[in-house]
């Protein structure tokens, strides 16, 4: 039988590295528009509204479309029909159908 080696002292724990700050999601809209007044998602589509630029951006399936929001001050999605993928937004003038806004690109 071999002689047993004496136990070695345990190593102390190493200090934990500080956590990396979590990165927020990168905006999906062009940076030159600034921060949207409101943004969100509904039925796989995203929207962002920029009142100073009178722009409403919609992202569907990775494609971003820009609309001229005119005098509307959009506050959010009031309804969405998942089958036809139409969006209706609420504004101070009542509901605004996406189809009624001028598409810019």
């Amino acid at each position: 039988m071999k002689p047993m080696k004496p136990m070695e002292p345990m190593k102390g724990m190493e200090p934990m590295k500080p956590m990396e700050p979590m990165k927020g999601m990168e905006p999906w809209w062009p940076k030159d528009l600034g921060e949207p007044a409101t943004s969100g998602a509904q039925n796989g589509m995203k929207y962002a509204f920029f009142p100073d630029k009178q722009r409403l951006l919609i992202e569907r399936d990775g494609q971003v479309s820009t609309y001229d929001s005119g005098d509307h001050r959009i506050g959010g999605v009031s309804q969405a029909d998942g089958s036809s993928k139409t969006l209706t937004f609420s504004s101070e003038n009542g509901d605004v159908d996406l189809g009624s806004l001028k598409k810019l690109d």
Side-chain angles (χ1 to χ4, degrees):
M1 200 168 170
K2 288 184 180 180
M4 289 182 71
K5 292 182 183 175
M7 281 184 71
E8 293 181 18
M10 290 181 69
K11 290 183 182 175
M13 290 181 67
E14 291 187 21
M16 288 180 67
K17 292 180 182 168
M19 284 184 65
E20 294 286 324
M22 287 182 66
K23 290 186 177 168
M25 285 188 56
E26 285 295 312
W28 53 268
W29 54 81
K31 289 187 181 2
D32 63 333
L33 289 175
E35 286 297 311
T38 185
S39 64
Q42 183 91 26
N43 293 341
M45 292 181 274
K46 298 178 192 173
Y47 70 92
F49 173 57
F50 303 87
D52 296 343
K53 309 272 189 198
Q54 294 184 320
R55 295 292 178 261
L56 173 66
L57 273 63
I58 306 291
E59 183 196 63
R60 295 184 211 202
D61 304 319
Q63 298 290 318
V64 178
S65 301
T66 304
Y67 296 85
D68 183 344
S69 60
D71 294 334
H72 298 291
R73 294 202 53 90
I74 291 170
V77 175
S78 59
Q79 74 184 71
D81 180 346
S83 60
S84 65
K85 301 262 187 197
T86 60
L87 290 176
T88 303
F89 293 90
S90 55
S91 83
E92 82 289 359
N93 299 325
D95 288 348
V96 181
D97 185 70
L98 185 60
S100 69
L101 299 177
K102 181 181 176 186
K103 187 173 179 180
L104 301 175
D105 63 358

